Amino acid sequence: MGVVADAWTWLSTGSNWSGESGAWHRLGEHVYVSGVALLLACAIALPIALWLGHLGKGGALAVNISNAGRAIPVFAVLALFMLTPLRSAGYLPTIIALVLFAVPPLLTNAYVGMREVDRAVVEAARGMGMSGGQLFLRVELPLAHPLLMTGLRTAAVQVVATATIASMVGQGGLGRIITAGFNTYNTPQVVAGALLAGLLALLVGGGLVGADRLLDPPRKTARSVASASSVKYLSSVESV
């Protein structure tokens, strides 16, 4: 309890939050690196996964390749980048390493979510005359929403928690608070930095849960559209 109390004292000291080495500045750096990495990972993984899931072809290979990347430690990737000309490119090596780390859960969950949409519902929607784009936007994508959001939450929390590795190569972020504490044998500072990183990851995860609930009405609409399509399609089949 003494270390926790000392960490709280460190966090409640105003001087530790100001300046370029302060917690606010480090927090901003951490959010920037994590946000850019997550956005890039989404831009890469989600279109591929959703398209392959819609087509139903090639997805298994893509998922297996992306999952194989999970076996590669993020810090090892970052260390390799630091041996290349990218070492002088600011946050770019860290962002690339985090993107590689975030792609597998995004790609896997989005693809599986698309493939687990009830095929009977898909065929019913096709039978009612929906085009491929309408089927994707109005039925498949909303019904795949739960797994897609699960992958996004997983990737976001992992990226925020792992972005502390930027400090290992002299970059900013909350990891700099931790490494500075280690360098000065300041255990309360180390604990305070770890608490800040953990709390940020929890806030990001909680925020995405809230966003998921706000996006629930489109999912309900998709279910109602799918149900109506199924009923109309079956009625037309029976009349024939």
Side-chain angles (χ1 to χ4, degrees):
M1 291 298 293
V3 174
V4 175
D6 291 341
W8 174 254
T9 300
W10 190 96
L11 290 170
S12 59
T13 301
S15 60
N16 292 328
W17 291 81
S18 59
E20 291 189 358
S21 298
W24 282 122
H25 185 70
R26 297 306 185 195
L27 181 62
E29 293 173 331
H30 201 98
V31 170
Y32 169 76
V33 172
S34 301
V36 171
L38 186 61
L39 287 175
L40 289 175
C42 288
I44 294 169
L46 294 184
I48 295 173
L50 295 175
W51 179 245
L52 292 177
H54 175 70
L55 293 178
K57 299 177 181 178
L61 177 61
V63 168
N64 288 332
I65 292 174
S66 69
N67 285 338
R70 296 187 181 188
I72 304 174
V74 181
F75 183 70
V77 174
L78 182 57
L80 287 175
F81 282 138
M82 298 311 294
L83 299 176
T84 70
L86 287 176
R87 64 181 181 276
S88 59
Y91 287 110
L92 185 58
T94 302
I95 290 173
I96 294 175
L98 291 175
V99 167
L100 295 176
F101 186 54
V103 163
L106 287 168
L107 193 149
T108 301
N109 281 272
Y111 175 76
V112 172
M114 290 291 290
R115 296 311 302 159
E116 287 193 353
V117 173
D118 192 341
R119 294 297 100 187
V121 171
V122 173
E123 292 304 321
R126 284 201 180 101
M128 293 307 299
M130 281 192 180
S131 66
Q134 290 174 326
L135 177 64
F136 174 76
L137 292 174
R138 298 180 61 186
V139 178
E140 290 180 320
L141 185 58
L143 291 177
H145 177 269
L147 272 178
L148 194 153
M149 287 301 296
T150 297
L152 180 59
R153 285 196 304 272
T154 301
V157 172
Q158 287 180 346
V159 165
V160 171
T162 310
T164 54
I165 65 170
S167 63
M168 301 296 182
V169 292
Q171 300 298 326
L174 294 174
R176 287 295 292 272
I177 296 176
I178 298 173
T179 54
F182 276 122
N183 292 336
T184 58
Y185 302 99
N186 189 339
T187 302
Q189 182 174 341
V190 174
V191 175
L195 286 174
L196 287 174
L199 286 173
L200 180 59
L202 288 175
L203 285 174
V204 169
L208 288 173
V209 169
D212 187 14
R213 292 178 179 176
L214 289 176
L215 292 173
D216 191 59
R219 197 188 316 168
K220 293 179 179 178
T221 302
R223 291 195 185 106
S224 64
V225 169
S227 298
S229 299
S230 299
V231 171
K232 291 179 181 179
Y233 178 65
L234 290 174
S235 298
S236 64
V237 171
E238 290 175 356
S239 65
V240 175

